[in-house]
Amino acid sequence: NAGVTQTPKFQVLKTGQSMTLQCAQDMNHEYMSWYRQDPGMGLRLIHYSVGAGITDQGEVPNGYNVSRSTTEDFPLRLLSAAPSQTSVYFCASSRRSGTANTGELFFGEGSRLTVL
Amino acid sequence: GQQVMQIPQYQHVQEGEDFTTYCNSSTTLSNIQWYKQRPGGHPVFLIQLVKSGEVKKQKRLTFQFGEAKKNSSLHITATQTTDVGTYFCAGPGSGNTGKLIFGQGTTLQVKP
């Protein structure tokens, strides 16, 4: 049972380069999201999706793009990497909960990105 | 915008001492969730509280949801070295879209 799979686990980029962080889940979850984690800042929501073809911005969306062509996949694209995007990125998914629409989040193992 | 604040940011305790982290929201929450992240790991779901004044226990961990549903706490009795990690609270974002807004987390270190 794979759960939420993120690749790559580690990546070093130069300023201005682009790259895509991959995220896939095999639990048929409707909801997927991307967070970044920085020291002292907790987990900040970048983008999220409530289903295939639907995405929306979170707290810190600038510099990132997402798409959701299938239920399983939710890639995060950095268009032109900047040192401020050095962080640990987590992908998460959940089933929509009946009353509150916020089910338990299942996280991937994280992708550590360094931008030089 | 909506904010979820957590205190303290760090806590060092001697093994066997108790530990509490507090979570406060700028808005009323329909529910609150708690997660634990071990060093170098990813956040793992602990519990969800839904009802006003709710108290739930998991072995040495006690979770409370405030009467006004704007605050919550996690209390660990007699800490052990296995309790080391960062504890996050999280509340639903606006718009009932399923998104969760996390607090900054409390990092617990336990001295054996």
Side-chain angles (χ1 to χ4, degrees):
Chain A
N1 190 1
V4 179
T5 303
Q6 282 182 241
T7 56
K9 285 187 168 49
F10 300 94
Q11 183 72 50
V12 178
L13 291 178
K14 294 181 180 178
T15 296
Q17 287 184 318
S18 62
M19 80 157 298
T20 299
L21 298 177
Q22 302 290 344
C23 176
Q25 53 93 8
D26 61 0
M27 297 173 282
N28 202 31
H29 285 168
E30 300 90 341
Y31 176 81
M32 295 186 74
S33 53
W34 276 101
Y35 289 87
R36 60 177 288 173
Q37 183 173 29
D38 304 291
M41 305 291 287
L43 293 157
R44 292 183 292 168
L45 182 64
I46 305 172
H47 285 284
Y48 65 99
S49 168
V50 297
I54 306 170
T55 65
D56 205 347
Q57 296 181 350
E59 304 165 270
V60 288
N62 292 341
Y64 307 94
N65 273 1
V66 293
S67 59
R68 184 95 180 267
S69 56
T70 66
T71 300
E72 293 78 20
D73 300 300
F74 191 45
L76 178 72
R77 297 182 186 84
L78 281 70
L79 307 174
S80 178
S84 61
Q85 293 179 303
T86 293
S87 188
V88 180
Y89 292 85
F90 287 100
C91 179
S93 73
S94 75
R95 192 176 307 282
R96 296 285 291 269
S97 174
T99 53
N101 274 332
T102 48
E104 166 190 352
L105 280 183
F106 293 82
F107 283 85
E109 295 189 351
S111 299
R112 186 174 294 275
L113 175 67
T114 301
V115 183
L116 303 175
Chain B
Q2 180 186 4
Q3 288 188 319
V4 178
M5 308 296 293
Q6 229 179 308
I7 56 170
Q9 189 173 357
Y10 299 99
Q11 185 83 55
H12 297 244
V13 300
Q14 200 73 37
E15 189 173 20
E17 292 181 337
D18 293 355
F19 159 77
T20 305
T21 174
Y22 300 91
C23 182
N24 290 285
S25 170
S26 59
T27 60
T28 301
L29 301 171
S30 59
N31 69 88
I32 195 159
Q33 297 182 16
W34 285 90
Y35 291 78
K36 178 183 178 181
Q37 182 180 26
R38 294 182 187 277
H42 58 278
V44 175
F45 175 82
L46 292 177
I47 206 162
Q48 182 181 58
L49 305 173
V50 178
K51 299 176 184 176
S52 169
E54 189 170 15
V55 178
K56 285 189 175 179
K57 292 190 175 185
Q58 290 180 350
K59 297 182 180 179
R60 295 177 294 103
L61 277 62
T62 302
F63 303 85
Q64 290 189 318
F65 200 10
E67 293 289 342
K69 302 183 77 173
K70 293 184 73 173
N71 57 66
S72 181
S73 65
L74 158 59
H75 179 82
I76 302 178
T77 304
T79 54
Q80 300 175 359
T81 54
T82 53
D83 295 325
V84 164
T86 301
Y87 293 85
F88 293 98
C89 61
S94 58
N96 218 20
T97 55
K99 63 183 179 182
L100 278 181
I101 304 300
F102 281 77
Q104 301 95 324
T106 297
T107 298
L108 172 65
Q109 294 195 359
V110 180
K111 301 175 209 173

